[in-house]
Amino acid sequence: MFSTTSAPPATRRRQRTGSDDSVAAQQLFKRLKRSGLTSETFKPLQNTPANGEVYGREPTPSVARDIDSHDPATHEHANLAIRKRGGKNIDRVRREYNHDGNIELTKNNTYSVSRLATTPAHFQSHQGSAKWRGQLVPSIGYAIATTQTEALVWRYKQGANASDSSKPLIIRLPHASPDTKQPLPLAALVPSSPEPGLLVVMPVSGKVTYWETISIAATMDLDRQKQQAIHGTIVGLATGERATNITDAEPQGFLITIDSGKIAHLSIADIQGKASISAQILRNTNSHNGGIFESLRTVFGAGGSLKEIAAVKASNTVHRGQRDCIIGTSRGLLQLWELSWSLTHSLKYEVDIKAKLVDSIHNLGVIPHDCENQYFGVLDLVFLPSGAMGQVRINSGHQSTMELLVLTVTSSVSDSRYALHVVGIADGTIHVPIVHPVSCYTTPISPESSFKPTLLVPNEGQTAYVVFEEAVVLVSLEEVLNSPDSQVRTETTKSHDPFQDVIDFRQGKGYRVVGCAMDIPEKSYKGSACTVMIQGYGLIKVSVAPLGEDLTFSDRATTTAQTKLEQAVFYGPQQSLLDFSGRPEIQFATEDIEDAAIRICRSITSSSSKHLSTAGPSTEQHLQRRAIALSDLVKQLSKHYQPVRPSVRWRLLWEAEKMAAAKAIWRCYCDAVASKPKGEKVLLHELVECISELDKTENQPDQHETDPVRHWLVHDVWRLQILLPWVTKALILLDEESHEDNIPMSSAYRARLISEAHDIQLMALQTAYSFRQDNASLYGLSEGTMIHDLLIEDGSGMPEIWTSTSLICEAVRKLAEYFQNFATDLDSHNSSDEEGNSAPQQLLEQTAQSNARLVDMSCKIHTERVRLLQADNNLEVRAQGQELEKRSDRYRRDLLKGLVNIGLYHSAIKLGEKFGDMEALAEVLESEIQTSQDDLDNNLVAREETDDVRAKIALCQGFVDLYFVRYGESWANAFFARFVDQGRISQLLVHGPKQRKHLTTFLRGHPECAAFSWINEVAVESDFAVAADDLGRAQKQADTVWAKKIQLSISKLATLAAVTNEQRDEDSATLVIHHINCRVEVLDAQEQLYEYLKPTIRRALNDTPAKVDAVMEQYFKRFVNAKKALRSAIKINVKKIAEEKVLDVEDLVDTISLMDEDGLDPDSDFAAGRFLTAIKLVRSCMLDTGNVQRWELLGKIIWRRCIIQDNWSKINRTDKKGDAQVEAETVGTALFKTLREGFKSNFWDDYPPFEPSSVLGCGTTFESLRASSRYDKASDNAIKIIAQELSIEDGVLQTSMREGRLEKWWSGIIDAARMSAWNEAARICEDNSRWRETERRFRDQMKREDEALWGGKRTDGVELGVDEEGDVMMGI
């Protein structure tokens, strides 16, 4: 069955008791036992700057050598601390568990991963192609890693005492083959006292070697090593069979898995407990018939082998010398064996669980039933805790009850789906009550993988650890074990998804798992942990924390986006093992990712994250660490969590800007502290104290927090937008406090505080904008989004930009003004204050330069805020943006003028150029030229400075000429507008020929300059058509009658000249002239009215109100006294007339038509024809504008006023009156005079007079007036008042029609007026005939007299005569 190559027992006993070698071995062991402390024990840990990880103690050259080196001398100094088991050992383990000093790789609320510092450096750094196989023995805290030829043994659990530190042992393996194509030897540590033994199995030959202690195995004397080993062979291995795994089956037993499906039971002691090696292949010696168990022959092939063994697990000892083990195949066949020390074994039963497992998976709906090309297999299994872990309860009838956790895989072409099944076997019945699909990991198992997926479950059974070659998966089992009915469920159910997560290793680093084991925690610890051996890296511990008292299972049921991001941000860049890039199986909603990113960002800027410390000697380093964390956060988002909304990216960028600005502020503070005079304050310290408690995190004096500046930088960087406005406020408050205390600040002290204020605001904002510009692409902002560090994209829906809040904009501007005023005042006092203390000139000059940069910053942040407001969808916000833009332009010009006042006109010019503010540039340059020239003209410049002033003027003029070339029209408009604003527009006409083109463009584009533009058009451009148009615009701006009339006349001449020069066609010119004639007609009417009122105006005092009152008293009493609206309007019109200002046509017509008839001179032509004049104006405007409705309404109102001027009721009473009296009363009415004047000029032929009934009710309703365009801008209330007052006029007309029988009189009055006009025309014609006859007779008589006097006579030989006209002619 088995063979041994060890010496006979008697020989071995003689060697152990009598030989020198045996004595030497015993002395060597005693010496090793006492050598726990060495010279290397207290050497400090070495840090690696590459990734911040601390490795274990550096091995001495005797240990840290190449694994293939076999120098015997190197092992003579190897030391391994030996500790006995007992209570003290448990205490040390507890202290080690709580204070392990390991390197934390990641941590969250659920689990943590740390790197053990006890891993040998050689194993940590080995990432070559050579493979390792590892084993961990948690019960003794030892680890072993084997290669083809050697084994590396070390203690990976260290206690609190320094003496527990140990060096690794390198053991050369016997019978080893250096051929790398051969499978690796199987090695296992055997727990024993005082140190473990070592068992090595060669997988191909089946040779077995066992040393009772690793100290013996580590000897460099190969002969002694061989002599003190126990040797044996696994008999029964066929050719080509390989041993693939070794499983501990204590006590004194191991199970060897063979690739053909066989299992060998290996014992390292005989029944008396002496060391010996024996092995036997498991074979069934019993036969079961019926029930669920089948004959072994249907299961086992020749030699009793199983195919594709997936797992071999041994349970705890049931009876002394006996042990149960379960064997599972990948196809779901389970066998339960009973083993004994004497190598006897029996198969208790076997069961096929594949069908149940497959059904449980399909019932979840994760994998469809009909999915083709699927492979289903068992990967591993463990006993679930049931009383003692893995103890199988044996019932009567050789039946057993047990509960297993089985790891399965369902593979397809694209991925693999893993699951954990709770399998219960009770009384021959199989049930799968619960299945946990592993949803977070679907990576297929590589065919080249040498490490099989391993399932680990701690004693407490809270969490399952599924260890793959390049990942560790955590699955919570609390629902499985804590559910009250978990033992009696008969159907597969899926309740709340348990917690799951993946600990991924980085790809391409060569990291692979070679071994793993569950840790044995201290009794009081309710969590769990496992240790994983990773080739090329070392040992890591994965610890799952227990649930807190106030937490439930649901609190751990989800892996959150925040947890994943925090791990990547705070741990990803610091180590090379774990991969935090995320897995495709674990997806989060975009909203969750964005919220998590914002929360993490805020926790960094406020130092509220548990991953950040809040105290340290270097504030600079603390700020830098937080800045790096923010950078890592956005890198993680950009690389693995796209897309993120732009608004979120901007918020993350702004928080990072604040952190960068905080570092700049800290440097400013350090410089201020280092340079401040003794006894003076530092501004940053004071302004932090000034900030309200609601806007900062308060110091805790009871916790000895005494530094407000550092405290603010640690906790309140995210409130930087609150601190910056306080810079200016604190400066003002300190100034006010000094005056209240009657201790005014010296100029030097005040200048230093102002300089600090400039530094804080400038460094903060400049750093923020530079950071924004440099990192725009990192935060996913396109290149077109930023121009000159400013936001230019659509800002709709974006939060307020922190660099341009209203408070910061105001504070920066006020600080710039504060220094400019301070410097100007200081200059007026010869750079000293009231006490004669002068500010350092160098400091003032430096601050002045900073002030120029601060003005630049003020312009920039105002521009940014304007852009954001104007991009908003809210119309009110947009209006605010437009208003702010106007104020910003004014602020900028004031600040640039302030720079000029402190002698920085070059900086003012550069800033004007930068922001394209042509108005500011024009103001700066023109004022400099004008001021300097005035100083020269008034002899205010010293003789030695005259050349400098002239050079300054020439320089400024050079800028003016340059800007015409560089900026063209925009500069010309600003520069020429400066002259217009100052009333010096006439000076524009004397500019040189280089500017004439720009001047013409400017004048043509500015109608307000039309009064001068026409001169330029005539004199320079010779464009009479444009000149006529300019004059047409200019007359609209003229407010005096004479100016308007002159401009219209010149416009008429220019129009005619344009026709002559073929610059305008005759038809358009005729239309223009018609418009001009209409306007001149209105002006003529106003001149007539003025001439008529002139005597009254001149008799009044030389005071406009007095003149108005005099005219109102004489001419406007009857019709407007009781009408407040009309009286107020007439009073305004009279004032304009008195001042010879131009009236609108409608106002002029109202004024003429509302004059009292009683106050007029009845014999004057104006009184007789005033209503006809008004009606003619209305008709002319109606034809000119085409607005018939508006002017027709006004014409009817005028006609009604004409009718009601006289008392028709009185005229109608003709009793006791002769015809002469009645005719005289009728002829004297305004109606008769107006009709007669119209007939004289034949006006009524084209514009018949309105009958009284047709004008009745005109303008007396609100609707009729509102429909007229004349009252577009009038309020409803004003229109109602006017309608009421016009109704009064309409009432008088109604009375006249009713009591005066006006309609009866109408036709007679028309005929009488027409006859009167004709009679007057005939009389005029008769008078003209008589005058022409008298003229003819006089001419004939004179002719006769001339002929008698001159006819036939000669003068100087020339004959004289008289022509037909009676003139004397020569040469006739």
Side-chain angles (χ1 to χ4, degrees):
M1 177 93 40
F2 67 91
S3 65
T4 178
T5 58
S6 59
T11 305
R12 187 172 66 243
R13 285 196 297 270
R14 284 197 303 271
Q15 290 176 352
R16 295 171 71 179
T17 58
S19 70
D20 294 339
D21 291 341
S22 176
V23 173
Q26 293 178 5
Q27 292 176 352
L28 173 62
F29 171 75
K30 293 179 181 179
R31 186 165 62 252
L32 289 173
K33 183 177 179 181
R34 294 192 298 268
S35 62
L37 294 177
T38 68
S39 60
E40 302 294 326
T41 301
F42 297 100
K43 281 191 175 183
L45 297 177
Q46 295 184 356
N47 299 330
T48 107
N51 53 17
E53 300 174 12
V54 181
Y55 291 100
R57 298 182 183 276
E58 185 71 16
T60 60
S62 62
V63 178
R65 60 183 178 85
D66 187 88
I67 198 165
D68 293 328
S69 175
H70 308 295
D71 184 5
T74 60
H75 288 274
E76 293 180 358
H77 303 289
N79 171 51
L80 191 66
I82 308 299
R83 294 185 296 171
K84 295 183 178 180
R85 297 180 181 178
K88 291 184 179 180
N89 184 43
I90 296 175
D91 292 340
R92 291 193 184 98
V93 171
R94 181 182 296 113
R95 288 193 294 272
E96 183 273 338
Y97 198 91
N98 293 330
H99 308 284
D100 50 24
N102 296 325
I103 305 163
E104 193 172 77
L105 301 181
T106 187
K107 184 178 182 181
N108 56 36
N109 294 332
T110 302
Y111 65 86
S112 64
V113 181
S114 57
R115 180 179 188 176
L116 302 186
T118 55
T119 308
H122 181 72
F123 182 77
Q124 295 180 72
S125 58
H126 191 84
Q127 295 176 294
S129 59
K131 294 183 179 180
W132 293 71
R133 184 194 297 273
Q135 184 202 28
L136 299 164
V137 186
S139 60
I140 57 177
Y142 277 85
I144 182 171
T146 59
T147 64
Q148 293 288 345
T149 59
E150 291 182 332
L152 182 67
V153 181
W154 73 95
R155 186 177 182 86
Y156 72 90
K157 282 188 178 181
Q158 297 296 336
N161 295 331
S163 61
D164 291 334
S165 299
S166 59
K167 299 178 182 178
L169 295 178
I170 298 179
I171 302 172
R172 181 173 178 80
L173 302 179
H175 315 297
S177 172
D179 186 1
T180 57
K181 296 181 179 180
Q182 296 291 328
L184 293 175
L186 305 180
L189 294 173
V190 182
S192 63
S193 178
E195 64 175 346
L198 176 61
L199 176 69
V200 178
V201 178
M202 292 299 156
V204 178
S205 64
K207 294 182 179 180
V208 181
T209 305
Y210 170 61
W211 293 276
E212 292 184 281
T213 65
I214 56 177
S215 300
I216 298 175
T219 180
M220 293 295 98
D221 190 335
L222 299 182
D223 293 335
R224 183 176 300 172
Q225 181 197 46
K226 182 176 181 180
Q227 290 176 0
Q228 297 188 6
I230 311 299
H231 302 277
T233 304
I234 300 176
V235 179
L237 286 179
T239 303
E241 289 183 333
R242 302 288 187 270
T244 59
N245 193 29
I246 183 169
T247 303
D248 188 5
E250 291 185 3
Q252 306 297 329
F254 295 88
L255 296 175
I256 309 299
T257 303
I258 302 173
D259 58 1
S260 63
K262 299 177 181 178
I263 300 294
H265 182 198
L266 177 69
S267 176
I268 60 174
D270 57 20
I271 194 169
Q272 288 81 23
K274 295 180 181 180
S276 65
I277 293 178
S278 57
Q280 189 177 46
I281 301 296
L282 296 185
R283 300 179 186 277
N284 183 21
T285 59
N286 300 322
S287 177
H288 296 277
N289 294 318
I292 64 170
F293 303 108
E294 299 177 357
S295 172
L296 282 178
R297 294 185 179 274
T298 63
V299 179
F300 286 91
S305 64
L306 290 167
K307 297 298 182 181
E308 300 179 14
I309 294 178
V312 178
K313 303 293 180 180
S315 69
N316 286 346
T317 302
V318 180
H319 302 292
R320 179 175 176 79
Q322 293 182 350
R323 192 180 184 93
D324 290 338
C325 76
I326 191 167
I327 302 173
T329 69
S330 60
R331 296 185 179 182
L333 183 66
L334 300 182
Q335 291 185 345
L336 182 64
W337 289 80
E338 184 180 280
L339 309 177
S340 67
W341 287 359
S342 61
L343 292 185
T344 59
H345 53 268
S346 63
L347 176 65
K348 300 179 71 173
Y349 65 80
E350 64 183 8
V351 61
D352 191 347
I353 63 173
K354 178 178 179 180
K356 291 286 186 178
L357 296 178
V358 172
D359 289 343
S360 66
I361 284 291
H362 288 162
N363 291 340
L364 290 176
V366 178
I367 301 173
H369 287 77
D370 56 351
C371 185
E372 299 181 356
N373 300 323
Q374 285 187 347
Y375 165 80
F376 178 85
V378 175
L379 297 178
D380 199 6
L381 58 85
V382 296
F383 291 101
L384 277 178
S386 178
M389 178 183 176
Q391 179 175 335
V392 181
R393 296 189 292 275
I394 305 299
N395 297 333
S396 59
H398 299 285
Q399 296 295 324
S400 61
T401 300
M402 63 180 174
E403 203 166 46
L404 304 174
L405 188 64
V406 181
L407 172 64
T408 66
V409 61
T410 305
S411 299
S412 62
V413 178
S414 58
D415 61 4
S416 296
R417 302 296 181 92
Y418 303 95
L420 297 177
H421 306 252
V422 177
V423 179
I425 303 176
D427 299 329
T429 303
I430 304 169
H431 64 284
V432 184
I434 297 176
V435 179
H436 285 302
V438 179
S439 58
C440 61
Y441 188 83
T442 60
T443 302
I445 301 172
S446 173
E448 300 177 357
S449 175
S450 60
F451 179 82
K452 294 179 63 177
T454 303
L455 177 61
L456 303 174
V457 177
N459 288 346
E460 294 75 12
Q462 296 175 339
T463 306
Y465 299 77
V466 185
V467 183
F468 294 90
E469 189 172 42
E470 294 183 346
V472 178
V473 178
L474 304 179
V475 181
S476 175
L477 299 179
E478 293 190 59
E479 179 189 19
V480 178
L481 300 179
N482 296 340
S483 178
D485 59 343
S486 62
Q487 300 296 329
V488 297
R489 293 181 186 176
T490 58
E491 297 181 1
T492 300
T493 60
K494 182 184 178 184
S495 58
H496 200 294
D497 289 340
F499 170 83
Q500 296 186 11
D501 202 359
V502 183
I503 301 171
D504 255 326
F505 303 154
R506 293 182 188 267
Q507 299 295 318
K509 296 286 187 179
Y511 298 139
R512 49 183 291 272
V513 175
V514 296
C516 59
M518 288 300 308
D519 286 1
I520 303 176
E522 56 193 68
K523 293 181 180 180
S524 61
Y525 185 71
K526 296 182 179 179
S528 62
C530 78
T531 302
V532 182
M533 184 183 296
I534 302 174
Q535 179 178 339
Y537 190 80
L539 300 183
I540 65 170
K541 177 188 289 186
V542 182
S543 304
V544 176
L547 284 176
E549 296 179 357
D550 55 342
L551 299 178
T552 64
F553 167 72
S554 298
D555 297 326
R556 191 181 279 182
T558 305
T559 301
T560 64
Q562 182 170 349
T563 298
K564 285 297 182 183
L565 282 175
E566 284 180 335
Q567 288 179 307
V569 169
F570 296 108
Y571 296 102
Q574 301 175 9
Q575 46 83 29
S576 60
L577 175 66
L578 303 185
D579 184 3
F580 297 104
S581 61
R583 297 192 60 84
E585 301 91 344
I586 303 177
Q587 297 294 328
F588 304 102
T590 302
E591 295 77 8
D592 295 337
I593 295 171
E594 293 173 348
D595 292 343
I598 292 174
R599 286 195 298 270
I600 294 172
C601 182
R602 178 55 53 84
S603 70
I604 295 172
T605 54
S606 63
S607 297
S608 59
S609 173
K610 61 184 178 182
H611 303 289
L612 293 173
S613 63
T614 57
S618 175
T619 302
E620 178 79 18
Q621 292 180 4
H622 182 266
L623 294 171
Q624 180 64 20
R625 282 195 295 271
R626 291 157 66 191
I628 292 174
L630 291 175
S631 176
D632 293 337
L633 172 61
V634 72
K635 289 177 181 178
Q636 185 73 9
L637 287 174
S638 301
K639 188 174 182 181
H640 304 294
Y641 294 97
Q642 290 285 8
V644 178
R645 287 178 300 167
S647 60
V648 176
R649 295 200 299 267
W650 276 110
R651 291 183 64 175
L652 296 177
L653 173 60
W654 294 335
E655 295 300 307
E657 291 171 3
K658 293 178 184 179
M659 189 59 63
K663 292 192 294 181
I665 292 175
W666 171 251
R667 290 191 290 269
C668 291
Y669 175 73
C670 293
D671 294 341
V673 171
S675 61
K676 80 176 184 69
K678 186 177 181 180
E680 292 186 1
K681 299 177 180 179
V682 178
L683 182 62
L684 184 60
H685 185 281
E686 297 302 317
L687 73 89
V688 171
E689 293 286 0
C690 290
I691 297 176
S692 170
E693 291 80 1
L694 299 176
D695 294 329
K696 66 181 178 183
T697 304
E698 277 295 293
N699 272 347
Q700 303 295 329
D702 55 333
Q703 298 180 9
H704 307 287
E705 293 179 350
T706 59
D707 190 339
V709 174
R710 283 181 170 85
H711 189 271
W712 187 92
L713 290 170
V714 170
H715 298 286
D716 295 312
V717 169
W718 62 281
R719 291 170 168 162
L720 184 58
Q721 72 276 11
I722 297 176
L723 179 132
L724 291 183
W726 272 101
V727 174
T728 307
K729 294 180 182 178
L731 193 63
I732 297 174
L733 286 175
L734 289 174
D735 195 5
E736 293 176 351
E737 288 177 0
S738 65
H739 285 86
E740 292 176 359
D741 297 337
N742 294 322
I743 309 176
M745 287 191 293
S746 65
S747 296
Y749 181 27
R750 192 177 176 191
R752 189 178 65 79
L753 290 179
I754 296 175
S755 177
E756 289 182 27
H758 276 66
D759 292 341
I760 292 173
Q761 285 192 344
L762 272 176
M763 291 302 295
L765 293 173
Q766 286 179 346
T767 303
Y769 279 110
S770 297
F771 185 92
R772 185 180 302 174
Q773 181 71 20
D774 296 339
N775 295 274
S777 59
L778 175 62
Y779 283 81
L781 304 174
S782 61
E783 295 181 358
T785 303
M786 308 288 296
I787 291 182
H788 301 306
D789 312 334
L790 294 179
L791 169 68
I792 64 169
E793 71 174 6
D794 181 14
S796 178
M798 290 185 60
E800 186 177 36
I801 306 176
W802 78 273
T803 50
S804 56
T805 64
S806 58
L807 293 177
I808 289 182
C809 289
E810 182 180 9
V812 173
R813 175 178 58 84
K814 286 187 174 181
L815 179 59
E817 293 174 348
Y818 189 86
F819 172 74
Q820 291 175 358
N821 296 334
F822 168 74
T824 302
D825 294 342
L826 206 61
D827 183 63
S828 63
H829 291 85
N830 296 322
S831 301
S832 61
D833 53 21
E834 296 176 356
E835 299 180 0
N837 299 318
S838 60
Q841 187 63 29
Q842 183 180 2
L843 179 61
L844 290 176
E845 292 176 356
Q846 292 176 353
T847 308
Q849 296 300 323
S850 297
N851 187 260
R853 296 195 298 273
L854 193 66
V855 171
D856 180 12
M857 184 58 64
S858 176
C859 298
K860 179 183 295 185
I861 60 180
H862 275 87
T863 302
E864 182 178 75
R865 183 164 184 81
V866 167
R867 287 178 178 176
L868 182 66
L869 293 177
Q870 292 183 344
D872 199 278
N873 292 329
N874 191 311
L875 295 179
E876 293 183 0
V877 177
R878 289 186 182 180
Q880 294 175 10
Q882 295 174 356
E883 180 62 27
L884 178 61
E885 185 175 22
K886 296 177 182 177
R887 295 201 309 270
S888 299
D889 293 342
R890 186 170 65 253
Y891 295 153
R892 179 170 55 246
R893 289 160 196 158
D894 292 342
L895 291 174
L896 294 184
K897 283 196 297 185
L899 290 177
V900 173
N901 293 336
I902 61 175
L904 298 178
Y905 74 93
H906 282 291
S907 298
I909 292 173
K910 290 181 180 179
L911 290 178
E913 292 177 351
K914 177 179 180 180
F915 291 98
D917 193 339
M918 300 296 105
E919 290 78 7
L921 285 174
E923 185 173 356
V924 170
L925 291 173
E926 197 278 331
S927 62
E928 281 295 304
I929 294 174
Q930 190 68 31
T931 302
S932 300
Q933 190 62 52
D934 291 344
D935 291 344
L936 288 175
D937 295 342
N938 297 323
N939 296 322
L940 300 178
V941 180
R943 180 176 300 176
E944 62 273 11
E945 298 178 357
T946 301
D947 293 339
D948 293 337
V949 174
R950 288 175 178 169
K952 182 179 180 181
I953 294 174
L955 178 63
C956 292
Q957 188 60 50
F959 276 116
V960 172
D961 296 336
L962 174 64
Y963 291 162
F964 276 107
V965 177
R966 178 183 296 177
Y967 300 115
E969 184 178 348
S970 60
W971 164 251
N973 290 340
F975 183 71
F976 294 140
R978 175 78 177 166
F979 287 82
V980 175
D981 295 340
Q982 293 182 343
R984 298 186 291 121
I985 190 172
S986 59
Q987 298 181 13
L988 294 177
L989 303 177
V990 298
H991 279 281
K994 294 182 179 180
Q995 302 175 7
R996 284 179 179 173
K997 178 181 178 181
H998 295 293
L999 178 60
T1000 299
T1001 304
F1002 171 78
L1003 292 175
R1004 288 179 177 179
H1006 291 75
E1008 67 274 11
C1009 302
F1012 293 88
S1013 177
W1014 73 271
I1015 301 175
N1016 181 74
E1017 297 295 341
V1018 172
V1020 177
E1021 303 295 336
S1022 297
D1023 194 330
F1024 298 100
V1026 177
D1029 294 337
D1030 287 340
L1031 286 165
R1033 288 190 293 268
Q1035 62 86 21
K1036 296 179 181 178
Q1037 303 166 9
D1039 58 351
T1040 58
V1041 176
W1042 65 270
K1044 195 178 188 75
K1045 198 169 184 179
I1046 289 174
Q1047 288 170 344
L1048 286 171
S1049 300
I1050 300 176
S1051 177
K1052 188 174 181 178
L1053 292 175
T1055 301
L1056 296 174
V1059 174
T1060 302
N1061 288 273
E1062 298 183 351
Q1063 296 173 349
R1064 174 164 286 173
D1065 60 86
E1066 294 185 0
D1067 292 339
S1068 62
T1070 302
L1071 184 60
V1072 170
I1073 292 173
H1074 173 72
H1075 291 324
I1076 293 175
N1077 291 336
C1078 291
R1079 294 167 189 155
V1080 172
E1081 184 180 355
V1082 175
L1083 296 176
D1084 290 340
Q1086 183 171 343
E1087 283 185 332
Q1088 293 176 14
L1089 177 59
Y1090 176 77
E1091 291 297 328
Y1092 186 80
L1093 300 178
K1094 185 188 294 184
T1096 305
I1097 294 174
R1098 289 185 173 180
R1099 285 196 299 269
L1101 297 174
N1102 191 18
D1103 179 61
T1104 301
K1107 296 177 181 178
V1108 173
D1109 292 341
V1111 173
M1112 294 295 293
E1113 180 66 23
Q1114 183 170 351
Y1115 298 105
F1116 299 95
K1117 292 174 62 177
R1118 176 184 168 193
F1119 282 98
V1120 298
N1121 268 353
K1123 304 169 185 174
K1124 294 183 179 180
L1126 291 175
R1127 179 175 176 82
S1128 176
I1130 293 300
K1131 196 169 183 178
I1132 294 173
N1133 296 341
V1134 171
K1135 180 177 181 296
K1136 290 182 178 180
I1137 293 171
E1139 295 174 347
E1140 298 186 68
K1141 300 294 181 64
V1142 178
L1143 285 178
D1144 291 337
V1145 178
E1146 291 158 322
D1147 293 336
L1148 178 61
V1149 168
D1150 279 339
T1151 304
I1152 294 174
S1153 62
L1154 287 173
M1155 296 177 70
D1156 296 339
E1157 190 74 17
D1158 298 339
L1160 299 177
D1161 182 3
D1163 297 329
S1164 65
D1165 294 336
F1166 173 79
R1170 64 187 180 103
F1171 281 105
L1172 182 61
T1173 299
I1175 292 172
K1176 285 182 177 181
L1177 293 178
V1178 169
R1179 181 175 180 272
S1180 177
C1181 292
M1182 181 172 63
L1183 296 176
D1184 190 37
T1185 62
N1187 193 338
V1188 178
Q1189 181 182 8
R1190 176 174 182 171
W1191 297 105
E1192 185 175 305
L1193 175 63
L1194 182 58
K1196 289 182 177 181
I1197 292 174
I1198 295 171
W1199 195 251
R1200 182 174 60 199
R1201 289 172 180 170
C1202 176
I1203 294 173
I1204 65 175
Q1205 284 289 320
D1206 300 284
N1207 190 346
W1208 290 98
S1209 299
K1210 180 180 179 181
I1211 296 173
N1212 184 57
R1213 291 194 290 270
T1214 58
D1215 54 321
K1216 300 180 181 180
K1217 294 181 182 178
D1219 288 344
Q1221 183 180 355
V1222 173
E1223 183 179 354
E1225 291 178 355
T1226 303
V1227 171
T1229 61
L1231 176 59
F1232 184 88
K1233 296 176 182 178
T1234 303
L1235 290 171
R1236 183 179 59 189
E1237 295 298 322
F1239 283 122
K1240 286 181 180 180
S1241 59
N1242 298 322
F1243 178 74
W1244 305 123
D1245 293 344
D1246 299 324
Y1247 192 73
F1250 295 106
E1251 294 184 1
S1253 59
S1254 64
V1255 300
L1256 195 64
C1258 290
T1260 58
T1261 62
F1262 171 81
E1263 292 75 13
S1264 62
L1265 294 180
R1266 173 56 75 188
S1268 174
S1269 59
R1270 180 182 182 184
Y1271 301 101
D1272 285 343
K1273 299 180 180 180
S1275 64
D1276 292 348
N1277 187 51
I1279 293 177
K1280 291 177 181 179
I1281 294 174
I1282 295 173
Q1284 292 174 1
E1285 294 181 352
L1286 293 178
S1287 297
I1288 297 175
E1289 297 180 2
D1290 198 64
V1292 177
L1293 177 59
Q1294 292 177 8
T1295 302
S1296 298
M1297 294 177 64
R1298 184 178 63 255
E1299 299 179 0
R1301 298 193 305 161
L1302 189 56
E1303 292 188 27
K1304 300 291 184 181
W1305 287 81
W1306 180 256
S1307 59
I1309 296 173
I1310 293 290
D1311 293 339
R1314 182 184 295 111
M1315 184 60 67
S1316 176
W1318 288 350
N1319 292 336
E1320 186 174 350
R1323 180 180 56 80
I1324 294 174
C1325 288
E1326 184 179 353
D1327 292 342
N1328 290 338
S1329 296
R1330 286 197 298 268
W1331 182 83
R1332 285 194 294 271
E1333 179 64 25
T1334 302
E1335 182 182 17
R1336 184 184 62 78
R1337 291 176 180 176
F1338 177 75
R1339 186 178 293 130
D1340 290 342
Q1341 182 179 354
M1342 293 298 295
K1343 181 178 180 182
R1344 289 193 296 268
E1345 292 178 356
D1346 289 337
E1347 287 179 348
L1349 181 63
W1350 302 101
K1353 294 185 177 180
R1354 301 177 66 86
T1355 300
D1356 297 330
V1358 178
E1359 185 178 358
L1360 300 177
V1362 180
D1363 63 5
E1364 294 294 332
E1365 298 297 328
D1367 296 326
V1368 178
M1369 304 296 292
M1370 298 178 64
I1372 297 178

